[in-house]
Amino acid sequence: MPLPATANLIRVSILAVEGVFASTAMQAMDFFHMAARRHGRNASQDTSAFEILLVSPDGKPVRSFSEVVLPVDSGLGPADIIILPPYWSDFQQLHRRVPQVVDWLRAQHAAGSIICGEAMGVFWMAQAGLLDGKEATTYWRFHREFAERFPQVLLNRDKHLSDADNLYCASGSTSARDLYIHLIERFCGASVAQAVARDILYEVRRTYTPGRIGFGGQKLHQDLTILQIQEWLEEHYADKFRFEDVAREHGMSIRNFMRRFHSATGDKPLHYLQRLRIETAKGLLSATRKSIKTISYEVGYDDASFFARLFRQHTELSPNQYRRQFQRNGERSAGSPPSLG
């Protein structure tokens, strides 16, 4: 939910270690700083939504990959959101030099912090044991090393973003931007997130569809049958099917299925499916020039008008309004086709 005007600041700590890529650390800082300014403006207040800190293991300045010495704001401390940028260093040697980072991550996650790793930054999360038995991703060059070092982590080589239990992994700098927009929307609301995306991402051309995040926490249950159905839905969300058939194929009555699904995920099956479709559509709207009618069909709705109404119910924006928020000055990108909404 968006922050109320009187809420306390959300502390964002961005970890800087020796060899950190300064550009990635500053990218995170710029995104949240812009969100803070936008939120203050929207809330008609001078205060910020975020307190953004660059932190190091010992609180001392850090030499980046490009030999620039980065001043930091503090050492490791309490944080609501932790960003782990990539770095140029052997992870094993780096971990031996600053083992306190792992202890810090464990303590902060136990206290409820959101932790985000980008590329090699994900190694910190895995070393802390936070990703054991959970899905994760990282930069493609590190897939083999990561899988060998952390076999207990469910590495997904095909995803650019993953989330589980407030643990987010981004494979690179572009997917990290999508992650920051997701977090900004989570804490500041859709209008602020869309404004930041429009201001920063209007020239970004992805080689992938951002995909869906926000469902990882709903998989942290012990009902393996429901988990199998969730994974099936992620693959077949656009298909035509009946939940009665899904339930029967998994040995359940429709009534038992509805009860178990809600108990495990906290969501009704139809609403869960709608969210999968809408989140997929949001990625297509922001990353492609496909028409609303085409996107509607690709996510499982033959009626584009119905899709547009459902999209508004979930986002408070029409598909066209959502798309325009990602374009500079609200103008349609050259060649973008007309669409409903």
Side-chain angles (χ1 to χ4, degrees), residues 19-52:
V20 67
F21 287 99
S23 59
T24 59
M26 293 303 104
Q27 172 177 270
M29 185 167 288
D30 286 343
F31 265 74
F32 287 102
H33 182 70
M34 182 167 289
R37 290 174 63 90
R38 285 282 185 178
H39 178 264
R41 186 185 310 168
N42 287 3
S44 300
Q45 60 184 16
D46 295 330
T47 57
S48 167
F50 299 106
E51 177 188 19
I52 308 152

Side-chain angles (χ1 to χ4, degrees), residues 19 57 96 153 155 237 250 263 269 297 315:
R96 282 201 295 264
V153 180
L155 176 64
Y237 63 89
H250 288 84
S263 177
Y297 182 79
T315 67

